[in-house]
């Protein structure tokens, strides 16, 4: 039995699973998911392959666990933002800030790409990840609807914004600074949401140096 390095077995398992997910993220970013084996991940964290199987049996299981660990808190935060009493423009700004924090991290890009490219990803796991994304973008629909029913117009704008966020990922991956990429998202969103109560939907970022 592996040496317990945390106060309880449950905490030990949580720590070890996090180490495995972090190692997988790093290796996927360096080589791509298809060129990384379970054995490579085990070697990186200093485990025998049979020991790693106590935690995850496949790469897709690691990816799925990462999405569960990462997306749950993000969905909770975005739900709280959508339910807030602030004007919709301010809630949209905060919602986008959350997405940028995730999408500007290259390690997260590696796991998102891995979910699309892993050759052992089961339909069940793909479906579970899709449900998480649907829950996330339902909060955006709620913000854009602004206390009105979600109609086709809101759904269309949600799809456009989700596409812009995928483009943001590409920009950051190609070396565009996150602050500059975020400003381009502001410009694009103002093009499809030109005014809110006579004012631009999103205010311009001050000097494009960080969050407004």
């Amino acid at each position: 039995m592996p040496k317990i390095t945390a106060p309880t077995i449950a905490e030990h398992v949580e720590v070890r699973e996090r180490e495995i997910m972090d190692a997988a993220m790093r290796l996927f970013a360096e080589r791509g998911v298809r060129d990384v084996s379970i054995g490579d991940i085990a070697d990186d964290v200093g485990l025998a392959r049979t020991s790693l199987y106590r935690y995850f049996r496949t790469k897709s299981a690691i990816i799925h666990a990462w999405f569960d660990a990462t997306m749950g808190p993000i969905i909770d935060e975005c739900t709280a933002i959508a339910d807030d009493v602030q004007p919709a423009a301010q809630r949209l700004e905060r919602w986008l800030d959350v997405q940028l924090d995730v999408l500007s991290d290259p390690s997260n890009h590696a796991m998102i790409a891995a979910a699309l490219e892993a050759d052992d990803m089961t339909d069940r796991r793909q479906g579970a990840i899709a449900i998480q994304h649907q829950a996330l973008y339902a909060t955006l629909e709620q913000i854009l609807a602004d206390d009105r029913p979600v109609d086709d117009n809101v759904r269309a704008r949600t799809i456009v914004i989700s596409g812009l966020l995928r483009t943001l990922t590409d920009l950051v991956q190609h070396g565009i600074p996150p602050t500059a990429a975020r400003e381009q998202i502001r410009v694009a969103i103002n093009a499809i949401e030109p005014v809110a109560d006579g004012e631009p939907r999103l205010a311009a970022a001050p000097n494009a140096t960080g969050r407004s």
Side-chain angles (χ1 to χ4, degrees), residues 47-212:
L47 290 174
R49 183 182 301 195
T50 52
S51 295
L52 187 141
Y53 285 157
R54 294 190 178 101
Y55 305 97
F56 301 106
R57 297 198 65 82
T58 64
K59 290 184 290 184
S60 67
I62 298 172
I63 295 166
H64 188 194
W66 179 87
F67 269 92
D68 277 346
T70 303
M71 292 297 294
I74 292 171
I75 292 169
D76 289 345
E77 184 175 2
C78 288
T79 298
I81 291 170
D83 289 341
D84 205 331
V85 296
Q86 284 184 314
Q90 293 179 30
R91 286 181 285 150
L92 178 58
E93 176 82 12
R94 290 168 57 200
W95 190 94
L96 286 168
D97 277 341
V98 174
Q99 311 315 311
L100 180 62
D101 286 344
V102 176
L103 296 174
S104 61
D105 185 335
S107 296
N108 292 338
H109 299 169
M111 276 302 203
I112 293 168
L116 298 173
E117 298 172 8
D119 51 16
D120 64 348
M121 183 67 70
T122 64
D123 290 343
R124 180 181 64 81
R125 288 192 172 120
Q126 286 179 332
I129 292 171
I131 288 171
Q132 289 174 321
H133 278 89
Q134 290 166 6
L136 176 63
Y137 281 99
T139 63
L140 176 59
E141 287 184 343
Q142 181 181 340
I143 292 168
L144 294 177
D146 197 12
D147 296 326
R148 295 184 294 272
V150 174
D151 57 17
D152 287 344
N153 182 270
V154 167
R155 294 187 188 96
R157 282 151 45 208
T158 299
I159 291 170
V160 170
I161 291 174
S162 70
L164 291 171
L165 289 173
R166 286 194 295 272
T167 300
L168 171 62
T169 302
D170 292 338
L171 291 173
V172 174
Q173 285 179 324
H174 284 83
I176 303 299
T179 49
R182 181 169 184 257
E183 184 58 21
Q184 293 307 308
I185 292 296
R186 290 173 180 273
V187 171
I189 289 175
N190 277 332
I192 62 170
E193 295 281 328
V195 294
D197 298 327
E199 297 295 334
R201 190 71 165 178
L202 297 180
N207 300 321
T209 57
R211 291 185 181 181
S212 57

